Structures are given as C-alpha cells and as structure tokens.
Amino acid sequence: MLIRNFIQGRIIFARLDHGEDIISQFTILAEDNEIEIGALSAIGALSRAGLAYYDQKSHEYGEIALEEPVELASCFGNISLKDGRPFVHAHAVLSDRTGRTWGGHLVRGTVFAAELYLQELSGLPLKRVPDSITGLNLWGKE
Ligand code: ZN
C-alpha cells in the first residue's frame, strides 16, 4: 500500500465554460493555478459525454458514448503528476431525463453548465508510472 500525507492548500470554486471539454477545463485550471496534487468534485450538466470501463482481463478501455444531454449527477477525481504535468483522473455518474444512470471513468464531456470544487494539496508529488500488473498508470512509490 502506498500512503502519503498532505496539507490542505487553497480551495477553488470554478464555473466551467459552456461548450468546452470538462477534462480539459480541469487540467487547464490545475496548470494555471500550479496545482500538482489535488482532489476535485463537480456537478452540472453535459451536452454529451464519454465514460470508459476498464476490462481487467484484456487491460483495455471500452468507451460508453452518451451522445445526448445528461446530468453530471456526481463527479469525483484527483490530480497528480504524469510525465511532469498535472493529470486528472475523474469518475462520474451521469443521468438522463428518466433518472437512468451510467457510471465510469470520465473520458470526455462537453460542458453545458458545470461547477467545480478543487482542493489543492501540498506535499511530496504523486507521480503516475506504468504498473505491469494492472496495465494502468498508478501512483509510484518515488
Ligand atoms: Zn478511472
């Protein structure tokens, strides 16, 4: 198990831009504010989105494309470093007009309207490195 302790830094609220990609907006906000480690959550609505499901046997992502307006009912994630730059890892629960939900790894989402909570953390940087067991880029021990 890898355990790190951090000190809380700034808390940032942001209204994301209509028509922009949500993951790009998270990343730009982290870069502009020089945040290398953080925790985030967001709520709002997306005009379309893509979730992914990681197949643990084939080690490949399959995309769940939602080409329709959905509520961003819940979104949680973190920011750490990958190749020296802030990298956003976020999961989301999306819902349609009937309340039906989809959940998974958030790959893309066009913002209709969304509000972000971002908690900056200070401490030793967490760096993503390839993990041979899972095939994922996980936090390394250095
Ligand atoms: Zn994920």
Side-chain angles (χ1 to χ4, degrees), residues 52 54 61 76 87-92 104-106 128 136:
Y54 190 69
Y61 278 107
F76 281 90
F87 177 84
V88 173
H89 182 201
H91 284 202
H105 179 98
L106 184 61
R128 291 191 178 275
L136 296 165

Side-chain angles (χ1 to χ4, degrees), residues 2-64:
L2 172 69
I3 300 172
R4 289 273 172 82
N5 291 287
F6 298 104
I7 296 168
Q8 293 187 8
R10 293 167 291 173
I11 293 173
I12 295 171
F13 268 41
R15 191 194 80 186
L16 304 184
D17 290 335
H18 177 86
E20 298 295 324
D21 179 69
I22 192 165
I23 297 291
S24 299
Q25 294 264 288
F26 292 163
T27 305
I28 288 166
L29 201 70
E31 288 176 343
D32 287 355
N33 288 280
E34 298 180 343
I35 294 174
E36 296 185 334
I37 316 162
L40 63 84
S41 65
I43 52 173
L46 305 173
S47 51
R48 61 180 172 281
L51 297 171
Y53 172 85
Y54 190 69
D55 187 310
Q56 296 175 17
K57 284 189 178 162
S58 68
H59 288 187
E60 289 177 355
Y61 278 107
E63 187 176 339
I64 304 157

